Amino acid sequence: MLSVQVGERQKADASVPAVPAPDARLADLRPGASGRVTAIDEAVEPSTARRLFDLGFAPGAEVTVLRKAPLGDPVVFQVAEYEVALRRVQAAGIHVRRMA
């Protein structure tokens, strides 16, 4: 009951900042959707993380999903003005914040 009342007060108070959308995984975005890279998952092997970073998947980079193969793998992304194809497993290790 208390959480409902707090939530109602927050809606009425315009000075309360909106809660940012939670991060998503790059592999979960649909074609046409964009996101800004927030991190590379710690579970990704260091050599793979370095390669992703070198390809442009660095924190702050804007990434757009261009197209997916019929079975969903690989996925083509636009990052830093060029196209990169990644497997879903690799894209799942990249955290992004969805962009409108």
Side-chain angles (χ1 to χ4, degrees):
M1 183 83 171
L2 179 61
S3 63
V4 173
Q5 292 173 352
V6 170
E8 290 174 357
R9 265 190 240 139
Q10 286 181 346
K11 288 179 188 174
D13 186 4
S15 65
V16 174
V19 177
D23 287 353
R25 297 197 179 268
L26 187 57
D28 297 335
L29 297 181
R30 296 177 180 261
S34 296
R36 189 164 305 278
V37 176
T38 57
I40 295 179
D41 200 301
E42 292 178 5
V44 174
E45 188 175 322
S47 61
T48 302
R50 176 61 191 200
R51 183 67 178 145
L52 291 170
F53 184 86
D54 290 344
L55 287 170
F57 296 95
E62 185 177 332
V63 181
T64 302
V65 182
L66 296 180
R67 58 191 172 277
K68 292 185 178 186
L71 296 176
D73 199 25
V75 182
V76 179
F77 302 96
Q78 181 175 356
V79 60
E81 302 302 322
Y82 56 92
E83 296 178 7
V84 178
L86 296 178
R87 296 192 180 280
R88 283 188 53 82
V89 165
Q90 295 167 323
I94 302 172
H95 296 269
V96 295
R97 182 152 319 243
R98 296 175 195 260
M99 297 175 61

